[in-house]
């Protein structure tokens, strides 16, 4: 009686542990970049909106309010870019020195190193994106009171969006994180507006 020795080979479809680790690392890096971008946009939003609210507290002129906001956008974006460039350059120098000590300076190792220019551009763009929100909200409104309210409302909506998005990326409680971001933005805008109103009233 003949015996059938034929064996059926089933292709292995499992993903190797190294592939899973690479995928997880790539996703983690993208999430970190997104969180950094959200933080930069939130910084641009809060600082520019607060600056515009502060100027609006002492001047009802729409031109002064818009110019102050635009100046804040440029100054803040430049500051963020320079700070990020210096910080990432220092990190790059440290990592290159470590590679030299380990005698591992091939192209594969260099490809994974941070780029100071890329980080600087991304930081500046993120800040400018957030700063554009109050500028666009106030750009076409002539009435003083409506303009101030529009800036506050637009900033609040953007803060809520950034808070929810940041919480989702960080897998944190969305409601609590968003409330914390909105409360912080309100505090900054309210404090700036109140102090400038006080100084303006006192004639300082």
């Amino acid at each position: 009686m003949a015996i059938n020795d034929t064996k059926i080979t089933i292709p292995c479809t499992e993903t190797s542990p190294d592939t899973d680790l690479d995928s997880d690392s790539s996703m983690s890096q993208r999430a970190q970049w997104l969180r950094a971008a959200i933080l930069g946009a939130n910084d641009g939003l809060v600082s520019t909106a607060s600056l515009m609210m502060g100027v609006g507290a002492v001047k009802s002129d729409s031109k002064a309010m818009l110019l102050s906001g635009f100046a804040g956008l440029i100054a803040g974006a430049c500051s963020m870019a320079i700070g990020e460039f210096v910080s990432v350059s220092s990190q790059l120098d440290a990592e290159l020195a470590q590679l030299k000590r380990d005698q591992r300076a091939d192209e594969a190792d260099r490809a994974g190193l941070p780029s100071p220019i890329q980080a600087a551009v991304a930081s500046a763009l993120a800040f400018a994106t957030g700063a554009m929100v109050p500028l666009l909200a106030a750009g076409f409104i002539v009435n003083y009171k409506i303009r101030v309210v529009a800036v506050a409302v637009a900033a609040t909506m953007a803060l809520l969006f950034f808070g929810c998005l940041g919480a989702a990326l960080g897998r944190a409680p969305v409601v609590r994180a968003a409330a914390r971001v909105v409360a912080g933005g309100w505090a900054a805008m309210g404090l700036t507006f109140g102090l400038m109103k006080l100084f303006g009233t006192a004639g300082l």
Side-chain angles (χ1 to χ4, degrees), residues 120-204:
V121 171
S123 183
L125 288 176
F127 185 95
T129 299
M132 285 300 297
V133 173
L135 280 169
L136 290 174
F140 305 100
I141 300 176
V142 178
N143 184 275
Y144 164 70
K145 291 183 178 180
I146 297 177
R147 191 189 324 123
V148 172
V149 171
V151 170
V153 171
T156 300
M157 297 301 294
L159 285 168
L160 186 62
F161 172 75
F162 291 147
C164 292
L165 186 58
L169 289 173
R171 298 179 181 179
V174 175
V175 175
R176 184 170 59 188
R180 186 165 53 234
V181 171
V182 172
W186 280 352
M189 291 186 291
L191 186 61
T192 306
F193 184 88
L195 287 176
M196 290 302 296
K197 196 74 172 177
L198 178 62
F199 291 158
T201 303
L204 299 177

Side-chain angles (χ1 to χ4, degrees), residues 86-99 101 114 116:
V86 171
S87 175
V88 176
S89 294
S90 299
Q91 179 185 350
L92 179 61
D93 291 341
E95 293 192 18
L96 284 173
Q98 184 62 45
L99 286 176
R101 285 194 294 270

Side-chain angles (χ1 to χ4, degrees), residues 12-21 23:
C12 180
T13 58
E14 294 182 358
T15 306
S16 66
D18 291 340
T19 303
D20 289 339
L21 289 174
S23 177

